Amino acid sequence: MEVSLPLEIDTVKGFLDSREGNALYRLAADASNLGPCLEVGSYCGKSTVYIGSACKLMNNTLFAVDHHRGSEEHQPGEEYHDSDLFDIRSQLMDSFHNFRSNMRAAQLEEHVVPVVAPSAVAARHWNTPLGLVFIDGGHSLQAALTDYRCWARHIVPGGYLAIHDIFPNPQDGGQAPYEIYKLALASAQFELVEIVKTLAILRRVQ
């Protein structure tokens, strides 16, 4: 399937490689036959544009879960801090305004539903079966475990779990996403479909 995006993706702040984004686009289009899609960790919406564009094409919906206060590495003084996203009034990170602007520019507001809340809060009363869950939230072990435990159970059989920033070698990057990737495989509920750069794609088999 040819990837068709409604705006220049490089104008959207984020850390998703284009090959990974294209893989998510195709995955979301495939998963749309099974149920809505959900991502954890939208930031300014780069992955949201890829997944949401596929959902728009397939007349599906993407739920975009993010508290928009930034992960640990986005805070002042940390490696990935972006001062443009720091709200002087609240003295907090706030990526939501940027996110909404990007959704409007991408003409995705009727297909992307922002859920502005921590992952565990958003999942507390969740009952909707999902065709795809994409995890790219906080990279502490606790945050990654929370995202996996909250959302993987809602994926329907045949649906997909995608996890970003998989680094088997600790020297290449943080290990929390890799740990939940191993946990998913060890559960026997998921099988590996493919790995695209640092994006692991798994299918729920039971």
Side-chain angles (χ1 to χ4, degrees):
M1 173 182 290
E2 183 178 351
V3 176
S4 177
L5 301 180
L7 83 169
E8 177 53 55
I9 195 65
D10 289 339
T11 65
V12 181
K13 294 177 184 286
F15 312 97
L16 189 72
D17 178 86
S18 61
R19 282 180 55 197
E20 297 169 339
N22 291 341
L24 284 172
Y25 179 96
R26 296 185 179 95
L27 194 64
D30 186 35
S32 290
N33 293 321
L34 301 170
C37 301
L38 182 144
E39 69 172 5
V40 184
S42 303
Y43 193 49
C44 294
K46 180 164 281 191
S47 60
T48 322
V49 170
Y50 279 107
I51 301 172
S53 296
C55 287
K56 181 178 180 178
L57 178 69
M58 304 300 291
N59 195 30
N60 197 10
T61 297
L62 168 62
F63 295 95
V65 179
D66 197 314
H67 49 60
H68 288 283
R69 294 303 188 191
S71 300
E72 300 86 348
E73 63 270 20
H74 299 142
Q75 304 309 312
E78 298 300 324
E79 182 178 2
Y80 293 103
H81 176 66
D82 185 337
S83 59
D84 290 343
L85 301 178
F86 188 76
D87 181 13
I88 298 175
R89 293 166 299 180
S90 65
Q91 290 294 295
L92 294 169
M93 291 295 297
D94 191 346
S95 56
F96 187 52
H97 177 76
N98 195 291
F99 173 86
R100 288 200 69 180
S101 296
N102 288 326
M103 293 308 102
R104 185 168 58 253
Q107 301 177 10
L108 291 175
E109 291 177 304
E110 293 187 6
H111 293 273
V112 172
V113 180
V115 182
V116 186
S119 184
V121 174
R124 190 176 294 158
H125 300 292
W126 190 271
N127 289 307
T128 302
L130 299 166
L132 165 66
V133 168
F134 172 51
I135 297 179
D136 192 21
H139 282 21
S140 70
L141 182 58
Q142 185 58 54
L145 285 172
T146 295
D147 292 341
Y148 172 72
R149 289 168 177 165
C150 283
W151 299 108
R153 60 193 177 94
H154 294 292
I155 301 171
V156 300
Y160 298 98
L161 170 64
I163 305 172
H164 193 223
D165 290 333
I166 298 294
F167 296 108
N169 185 345
Q171 294 181 345
D172 295 331
Q175 293 296 285
Y178 185 55
E179 290 301 318
I180 63 170
Y181 161 76
K182 292 191 295 183
L183 194 63
L185 289 178
S187 73
Q189 292 185 316
F190 293 91
E191 63 180 7
L192 179 63
V193 176
E194 65 175 324
I195 294 181
V196 179
K197 300 200 76 172
T198 73
L199 176 70
I201 299 171
L202 303 95
R203 180 186 292 111
R204 182 159 191 173
V205 293
Q206 59 176 301

Coordinates of all heavy atoms in Angstrom, one line a residue, residues 116-191:
V116 N -6.3 13.0 26.6 CA -5.3 13.8 27.3 C -5.3 13.4 28.8 O -6.0 13.9 29.6 CB -5.5 15.3 27.2 CG1 -4.3 16.1 27.8 CG2 -5.6 15.7 25.7
A117 N -4.6 12.3 29.1 CA -4.5 11.7 30.4 C -3.3 10.7 30.5 O -2.9 10.2 29.5 CB -5.8 11.0 30.7
P118 N -2.8 10.5 31.7 CA -1.9 9.4 31.8 C -2.4 8.1 31.4 O -3.6 7.9 31.4 CB -1.6 9.4 33.3 CG -1.9 10.8 33.8 CD -3.1 11.2 33.0
S119 N -1.6 7.2 30.9 CA -2.0 5.9 30.3 C -2.9 5.1 31.3 O -3.9 4.7 30.9 CB -0.7 5.1 30.0 OG -1.1 3.9 29.3
A120 N -2.5 5.0 32.5 CA -3.3 4.2 33.5 C -4.6 4.8 33.7 O -5.6 4.1 33.9 CB -2.5 4.1 34.8
V121 N -4.7 6.1 33.7 CA -6.0 6.8 34.0 C -6.9 6.6 32.7 O -8.1 6.3 32.9 CB -5.8 8.3 34.2 CG1 -7.2 9.0 34.3 CG2 -5.0 8.5 35.5
A122 N -6.4 6.7 31.6 CA -7.2 6.5 30.3 C -7.7 5.1 30.2 O -8.8 4.8 29.7 CB -6.3 6.9 29.1
A123 N -6.9 4.1 30.7 CA -7.3 2.7 30.6 C -8.2 2.2 31.7 O -8.7 1.1 31.6 CB -6.0 1.9 30.6
R124 N -8.4 3.1 32.7 CA -9.1 2.6 33.9 C -10.5 2.0 33.6 O -10.8 0.9 34.2 CB -9.3 3.8 34.9 CG -9.7 3.4 36.3 CD -9.8 4.6 37.2 NE -8.4 5.1 37.4 CZ -8.1 6.3 37.8 NH1 -9.1 7.2 37.9 NH2 -6.9 6.7 38.0
H125 N -11.2 2.6 32.7 CA -12.6 2.0 32.4 C -12.7 1.7 30.9 O -13.8 1.7 30.4 CB -13.6 3.0 32.8 CG -13.6 3.4 34.2 ND1 -14.0 2.5 35.2 CD2 -13.3 4.5 34.9 CE1 -13.9 3.1 36.4 NE2 -13.5 4.3 36.2
W126 N -11.6 1.4 30.3 CA -11.6 1.1 28.9 C -12.1 -0.3 28.6 O -11.8 -1.3 29.2 CB -10.1 1.2 28.3 CG -10.1 1.1 26.8 CD1 -10.0 0.0 26.0 CD2 -10.1 2.2 25.9 NE1 -10.0 0.4 24.7 CE2 -10.1 1.7 24.6 CE3 -10.2 3.6 26.1 CZ2 -10.1 2.6 23.5 CZ3 -10.2 4.4 25.0 CH2 -10.2 3.9 23.7
N127 N -13.1 -0.4 27.6 CA -13.7 -1.6 27.2 C -13.7 -1.9 25.7 O -14.3 -2.9 25.3 CB -15.1 -1.7 27.8 CG -15.1 -1.8 29.3 OD1 -14.5 -2.7 29.8 ND2 -15.8 -1.0 30.0
T128 N -13.2 -1.0 24.9 CA -13.3 -1.1 23.5 C -12.2 -2.0 22.9 O -11.0 -1.8 23.2 CB -13.1 0.3 22.8 OG1 -14.2 1.1 23.3 CG2 -13.3 0.2 21.3
P129 N -12.5 -3.1 22.2 CA -11.5 -4.0 21.6 C -10.7 -3.2 20.6 O -11.3 -2.3 19.9 CB -12.3 -5.1 21.0 CG -13.6 -5.1 21.7 CD -13.9 -3.6 22.0
L130 N -9.5 -3.5 20.4 CA -8.6 -2.7 19.5 C -7.9 -3.6 18.5 O -7.5 -4.7 18.8 CB -7.5 -2.0 20.4 CG -8.0 -1.0 21.4 CD1 -6.9 -0.6 22.4 CD2 -8.6 0.3 20.7
G131 N -7.8 -3.0 17.3 CA -7.1 -3.8 16.2 C -5.6 -3.5 16.3 O -4.8 -4.4 15.8
L132 N -5.1 -2.4 16.8 CA -3.7 -2.1 16.9 C -3.5 -1.2 18.1 O -4.2 -0.3 18.4 CB -3.3 -1.2 15.7 CG -1.9 -0.5 15.8 CD1 -0.8 -1.5 15.8 CD2 -1.7 0.4 14.6
V133 N -2.4 -1.6 18.9 CA -1.9 -0.7 20.0 C -0.4 -0.4 19.7 O 0.4 -1.3 19.4 CB -2.0 -1.4 21.3 CG1 -1.2 -0.6 22.4 CG2 -3.5 -1.5 21.8
F134 N -0.1 0.8 19.6 CA 1.3 1.3 19.4 C 1.8 1.9 20.7 O 1.2 2.9 21.2 CB 1.3 2.3 18.3 CG 2.7 3.0 18.1 CD1 3.9 2.2 18.0 CD2 2.8 4.3 18.0 CE1 5.1 2.8 17.9 CE2 4.0 5.0 17.8 CZ 5.2 4.2 17.8
I135 N 2.8 1.4 21.3 CA 3.4 1.9 22.5 C 4.7 2.7 22.3 O 5.7 2.1 21.8 CB 3.6 0.7 23.5 CG1 2.3 0.0 23.9 CG2 4.3 1.2 24.8 CD1 2.5 -1.1 24.9
D136 N 4.6 3.9 22.6 CA 5.8 4.8 22.5 C 5.7 5.9 23.6 O 5.9 7.1 23.3 CB 5.8 5.4 21.1 CG 7.2 6.1 20.8 OD1 8.2 5.8 21.5 OD2 7.2 6.9 19.9
G137 N 5.4 5.5 24.8 CA 5.2 6.4 25.9 C 6.5 6.6 26.6 O 7.6 6.6 26.1
G138 N 6.4 6.8 28.0 CA 7.6 7.0 28.8 C 8.5 5.8 28.7 O 8.0 4.6 28.6
H139 N 9.8 6.0 28.8 CA 10.8 4.9 28.6 C 11.4 4.4 29.9 O 12.4 3.7 29.9 CB 11.9 5.3 27.6 CG 11.4 5.3 26.2 ND1 10.1 5.3 25.8 CD2 12.1 5.2 25.0 CE1 10.0 5.3 24.5 NE2 11.2 5.2 24.0
S140 N 10.8 4.8 31.1 CA 11.2 4.2 32.3 C 10.6 2.8 32.3 O 9.6 2.6 31.6 CB 10.8 5.0 33.5 OG 9.3 4.9 33.6
L141 N 11.1 1.9 33.1 CA 10.6 0.5 33.1 C 9.2 0.6 33.7 O 8.3 -0.1 33.1 CB 11.5 -0.4 34.0 CG 11.0 -1.8 34.1 CD1 11.0 -2.4 32.7 CD2 12.0 -2.6 34.9
Q142 N 8.9 1.4 34.7 CA 7.6 1.4 35.2 C 6.6 1.9 34.2 O 5.5 1.4 34.1 CB 7.6 2.3 36.5 CG 6.2 2.3 37.2 CD 5.8 0.9 37.6 OE1 6.5 0.2 38.3 NE2 4.6 0.5 37.3
A143 N 6.9 3.0 33.5 CA 6.0 3.5 32.5 C 5.7 2.5 31.4 O 4.6 2.4 31.0 CB 6.6 4.8 31.9
A144 N 6.8 1.9 30.9 CA 6.6 0.9 29.8 C 5.8 -0.3 30.3 O 4.9 -0.7 29.5 CB 8.0 0.4 29.3
L145 N 6.0 -0.8 31.5 CA 5.2 -1.9 32.0 C 3.7 -1.5 32.2 O 2.8 -2.3 31.8 CB 5.8 -2.3 33.3 CG 7.0 -3.2 33.3 CD1 7.6 -3.4 34.7 CD2 6.8 -4.5 32.6
T146 N 3.5 -0.3 32.6 CA 2.1 0.2 32.8 C 1.4 0.3 31.5 O 0.3 -0.2 31.3 CB 2.1 1.6 33.4 OG1 2.7 1.5 34.8 CG2 0.7 2.2 33.5
D147 N 2.1 0.8 30.4 CA 1.5 0.9 29.1 C 1.1 -0.5 28.6 O 0.1 -0.7 28.0 CB 2.4 1.6 28.1 CG 2.6 3.1 28.5 OD1 1.7 3.6 29.2 OD2 3.6 3.7 28.0
Y148 N 2.1 -1.4 28.7 CA 1.9 -2.8 28.2 C 0.7 -3.5 29.0 O -0.2 -4.1 28.3 CB 3.1 -3.6 28.4 CG 3.0 -5.1 28.0 CD1 2.8 -5.5 26.7 CD2 2.9 -6.0 29.1 CE1 2.6 -6.8 26.4 CE2 2.8 -7.4 28.8 CZ 2.6 -7.8 27.5 OH 2.4 -9.1 27.2
R149 N 0.7 -3.4 30.3 CA -0.3 -4.1 31.1 C -1.7 -3.4 30.9 O -2.7 -4.1 31.0 CB 0.1 -4.0 32.6 CG 1.3 -5.0 32.8 CD 1.9 -4.7 34.2 NE 2.9 -5.6 34.5 CZ 3.8 -5.5 35.5 NH1 3.7 -4.4 36.3 NH2 4.8 -6.4 35.7
C150 N -1.7 -2.1 30.7 CA -3.0 -1.5 30.5 C -3.7 -1.8 29.1 O -4.9 -1.9 29.1 CB -2.8 0.1 30.6 SG -2.6 0.7 32.3
W151 N -2.9 -1.9 28.1 CA -3.4 -1.8 26.7 C -3.3 -3.1 25.9 O -4.2 -3.4 25.1 CB -2.8 -0.7 25.9 CG -3.1 0.6 26.6 CD1 -2.2 1.4 27.2 CD2 -4.4 1.3 26.7 NE1 -2.8 2.6 27.7 CE2 -4.2 2.5 27.4 CE3 -5.6 1.0 26.2 CZ2 -5.2 3.4 27.6 CZ3 -6.7 1.9 26.4 CH2 -6.4 3.1 27.1
A152 N -2.3 -3.9 26.2 CA -2.1 -5.1 25.4 C -3.3 -6.1 25.5 O -3.7 -6.8 24.5 CB -0.8 -5.9 25.7
R153 N -3.9 -6.1 26.6 CA -5.1 -7.0 26.9 C -6.3 -6.7 26.1 O -7.2 -7.5 25.9 CB -5.4 -7.1 28.3 CG -5.8 -5.8 29.0 CD -5.8 -5.9 30.5 NE -6.1 -4.6 31.1 CZ -7.3 -4.2 31.5 NH1 -8.3 -5.0 31.3 NH2 -7.5 -3.1 32.1
H154 N -6.3 -5.5 25.5 CA -7.5 -5.0 24.7 C -7.3 -5.3 23.2 O -8.3 -5.1 22.5 CB -7.7 -3.5 24.9 CG -8.1 -3.2 26.3 ND1 -9.4 -3.5 26.9 CD2 -7.5 -2.5 27.3 CE1 -9.4 -3.1 28.1 NE2 -8.3 -2.5 28.4
I155 N -6.2 -5.9 22.8 CA -6.0 -6.2 21.4 C -6.8 -7.5 21.1 O -6.6 -8.5 21.8 CB -4.5 -6.4 21.1 CG1 -3.7 -5.1 21.5 CG2 -4.3 -6.7 19.6 CD1 -2.2 -5.2 21.4
V156 N -7.5 -7.4 20.0 CA -8.3 -8.6 19.6 C -7.4 -9.7 19.0 O -6.3 -9.3 18.5 CB -9.4 -8.2 18.6 CG1 -10.3 -7.2 19.2 CG2 -8.8 -7.7 17.3
P157 N -7.7 -10.9 19.0 CA -6.9 -12.0 18.3 C -6.8 -11.6 16.8 O -7.7 -11.2 16.2 CB -7.8 -13.2 18.5 CG -8.5 -13.0 19.7 CD -8.9 -11.5 19.7
G158 N -5.5 -11.7 16.4 CA -5.2 -11.3 15.0 C -4.8 -9.8 14.9 O -4.3 -9.4 13.9
G159 N -5.0 -9.0 16.0 CA -4.6 -7.6 16.1 C -3.1 -7.5 16.4 O -2.4 -8.5 16.6
Y160 N -2.7 -6.3 16.4 CA -1.2 -6.0 16.4 C -0.8 -5.2 17.6 O -1.6 -4.3 18.1 CB -0.8 -5.2 15.2 CG -1.0 -6.0 13.9 CD1 -2.1 -5.8 13.1 CD2 -0.1 -7.0 13.5 CE1 -2.4 -6.5 11.9 CE2 -0.3 -7.7 12.3 CZ -1.4 -7.5 11.5 OH -1.6 -8.2 10.4
L161 N 0.4 -5.5 18.1 CA 1.0 -4.7 19.2 C 2.3 -4.2 18.5 O 3.2 -5.0 18.1 CB 1.3 -5.5 20.4 CG 2.2 -4.9 21.5 CD1 1.6 -3.7 22.1 CD2 2.5 -6.0 22.6
A162 N 2.5 -2.9 18.5 CA 3.8 -2.3 18.0 C 4.5 -1.6 19.1 O 3.8 -0.8 19.8 CB 3.5 -1.4 16.8
I163 N 5.8 -1.8 19.2 CA 6.5 -1.2 20.3 C 7.7 -0.4 19.7 O 8.5 -1.1 18.9 CB 7.0 -2.2 21.3 CG1 5.8 -3.0 21.9 CG2 7.8 -1.5 22.5 CD1 6.2 -4.2 22.7
H164 N 7.9 0.8 20.0 CA 9.0 1.6 19.5 C 10.2 1.6 20.4 O 10.1 1.5 21.6 CB 8.5 3.1 19.2 CG 9.4 3.9 18.4 ND1 9.7 5.2 18.7 CD2 10.1 3.6 17.2 CE1 10.5 5.7 17.8 NE2 10.8 4.7 16.9
D165 N 11.3 1.9 19.8 CA 12.6 2.0 20.5 C 13.1 0.7 21.1 O 13.4 0.6 22.3 CB 12.6 3.1 21.5 CG 12.5 4.5 20.9 OD1 13.0 4.7 19.8 OD2 12.0 5.4 21.6
I166 N 13.1 -0.3 20.3 CA 13.6 -1.7 20.7 C 15.1 -1.7 20.5 O 15.6 -1.6 19.3 CB 12.9 -2.8 19.9 CG1 11.4 -2.8 20.1 CG2 13.5 -4.1 20.3 CD1 11.0 -3.1 21.5
F167 N 15.9 -1.8 21.6 CA 17.3 -1.9 21.5 C 17.8 -3.1 22.3 O 18.0 -3.0 23.5 CB 18.0 -0.6 22.1 CG 17.6 0.7 21.3 CD1 16.8 1.6 21.9 CD2 18.2 0.9 20.1 CE1 16.4 2.8 21.2 CE2 17.9 2.1 19.4 CZ 17.0 3.0 20.0
P168 N 18.1 -4.2 21.6 CA 18.6 -5.4 22.3 C 20.0 -5.1 22.9 O 20.2 -5.7 24.0 CB 18.8 -6.4 21.1 CG 17.8 -6.0 20.1 CD 17.8 -4.5 20.2
N169 N 20.8 -4.2 22.4 CA 22.1 -3.9 23.0 C 21.9 -2.7 23.8 O 21.6 -1.6 23.4 CB 23.1 -3.6 21.8 CG 24.5 -3.4 22.4 OD1 24.7 -3.2 23.6 ND2 25.5 -3.4 21.5
P170 N 22.2 -2.8 25.1 CA 22.0 -1.7 26.1 C 22.8 -0.4 25.7 O 22.5 0.7 26.0 CB 22.4 -2.2 27.4 CG 22.3 -3.7 27.3 CD 22.6 -4.0 25.9
Q171 N 23.9 -0.6 24.9 CA 24.7 0.5 24.5 C 24.1 1.4 23.5 O 24.4 2.5 23.3 CB 26.1 0.0 24.0 CG 26.9 -0.7 25.1 CD 28.3 -1.2 24.5 OE1 28.5 -1.2 23.3 NE2 29.2 -1.5 25.4
D172 N 23.0 0.8 22.8 CA 22.3 1.6 21.8 C 21.2 2.4 22.3 O 20.8 3.3 21.6 CB 21.8 0.6 20.7 CG 22.9 -0.1 20.0 OD1 24.0 0.5 19.9 OD2 22.7 -1.3 19.5
G173 N 20.6 2.0 23.4 CA 19.5 2.8 24.0 C 18.9 2.1 25.2 O 19.3 1.1 25.6
G174 N 17.9 2.8 25.7 CA 17.2 2.3 26.9 C 16.5 1.0 26.7 O 16.1 0.6 25.6
Q175 N 16.4 0.2 27.8 CA 16.0 -1.2 27.7 C 14.5 -1.4 28.1 O 14.0 -2.5 27.8 CB 16.8 -2.0 28.7 CG 18.3 -2.1 28.3 CD 18.4 -2.8 26.9 OE1 18.3 -4.0 26.9 NE2 18.7 -2.1 25.9
A176 N 13.8 -0.4 28.6 CA 12.4 -0.6 29.0 C 11.5 -1.1 27.8 O 10.8 -2.1 28.0 CB 11.8 0.7 29.6
P177 N 11.5 -0.5 26.6 CA 10.7 -1.0 25.6 C 11.1 -2.4 25.2 O 10.2 -3.3 24.9 CB 10.9 0.0 24.4 CG 11.3 1.2 25.1 CD 12.1 0.8 26.3
Y178 N 12.4 -2.7 25.2 CA 12.8 -4.1 24.9 C 12.3 -5.1 25.9 O 12.0 -6.3 25.6 CB 14.3 -4.1 24.8 CG 14.9 -5.4 24.4 CD1 14.5 -6.0 23.2 CD2 15.9 -6.1 25.1 CE1 15.1 -7.3 22.8 CE2 16.4 -7.3 24.7 CZ 16.0 -7.9 23.6 OH 16.6 -9.1 23.2
E179 N 12.2 -4.7 27.2 CA 11.8 -5.6 28.2 C 10.3 -5.9 28.0 O 9.9 -7.1 28.2 CB 12.0 -4.9 29.6 CG 13.4 -4.8 30.0 CD 14.1 -6.2 30.1 OE1 13.5 -7.1 30.6 OE2 15.3 -6.3 29.7
I180 N 9.4 -5.0 27.7 CA 8.0 -5.3 27.5 C 7.8 -6.1 26.2 O 6.9 -6.9 26.0 CB 7.1 -4.1 27.5 CG1 7.4 -3.1 26.4 CG2 7.2 -3.4 28.9 CD1 6.4 -2.0 26.3
Y181 N 8.7 -5.9 25.2 CA 8.7 -6.7 24.0 C 9.0 -8.2 24.3 O 8.3 -9.1 23.9 CB 9.8 -6.2 23.0 CG 10.2 -7.1 21.9 CD1 9.4 -7.4 20.8 CD2 11.5 -7.7 22.0 CE1 9.9 -8.2 19.8 CE2 11.9 -8.6 21.0 CZ 11.1 -8.9 19.9 OH 11.5 -9.7 19.0
K182 N 10.0 -8.4 25.2 CA 10.3 -9.8 25.6 C 9.1 -10.3 26.5 O 8.8 -11.5 26.3 CB 11.6 -9.8 26.4 CG 12.8 -9.5 25.6 CD 14.1 -9.8 26.3 CE 14.3 -8.8 27.5 NZ 15.6 -9.1 28.2
L183 N 8.5 -9.5 27.3 CA 7.4 -9.9 28.1 C 6.2 -10.4 27.2 O 5.6 -11.4 27.5 CB 7.0 -8.8 29.0 CG 6.1 -9.1 30.2 CD1 6.7 -10.1 31.1 CD2 5.7 -7.8 30.9
A184 N 6.0 -9.6 26.1 CA 4.9 -10.0 25.2 C 5.1 -11.3 24.6 O 4.2 -12.2 24.5 CB 4.7 -8.9 24.2
L185 N 6.4 -11.6 24.1 CA 6.7 -12.8 23.5 C 6.6 -14.0 24.5 O 6.2 -15.1 24.1 CB 8.1 -12.7 22.8 CG 8.2 -11.9 21.6 CD1 9.7 -11.9 21.1 CD2 7.3 -12.3 20.5
A186 N 7.1 -13.7 25.7 CA 7.1 -14.8 26.7 C 5.7 -15.2 27.1 O 5.5 -16.3 27.6 CB 7.9 -14.4 27.9
S187 N 4.7 -14.3 26.9 CA 3.3 -14.5 27.3 C 2.7 -15.6 26.5 O 1.6 -16.1 26.8 CB 2.5 -13.3 27.3 OG 2.3 -12.9 25.9
A188 N 3.3 -15.9 25.3 CA 2.7 -16.8 24.3 C 1.4 -16.3 23.7 O 0.8 -16.9 22.9 CB 2.4 -18.2 24.9
Q189 N 1.0 -15.0 24.0 CA -0.1 -14.4 23.4 C 0.2 -13.7 22.1 O -0.7 -13.3 21.3 CB -0.8 -13.4 24.4 CG -1.4 -14.1 25.6 CD -2.2 -13.1 26.4 OE1 -1.7 -12.0 26.7 NE2 -3.4 -13.5 26.9
F190 N 1.5 -13.4 21.9 CA 1.9 -12.6 20.8 C 3.1 -13.3 20.0 O 3.9 -14.0 20.6 CB 2.4 -11.2 21.2 CG 1.3 -10.4 21.8 CD1 1.1 -10.3 23.1 CD2 0.6 -9.6 20.9 CE1 0.1 -9.5 23.6 CE2 -0.4 -8.7 21.4 CZ -0.7 -8.7 22.8
E191 N 3.1 -13.2 18.7 CA 4.2 -13.7 17.9 C 4.8 -12.5 17.1 O 4.1 -11.6 16.8 CB 3.7 -14.7 16.9 CG 2.7 -14.2 15.9 CD 2.2 -15.3 15.0 OE1 2.6 -16.5 15.2 OE2 1.5 -15.0 14.0

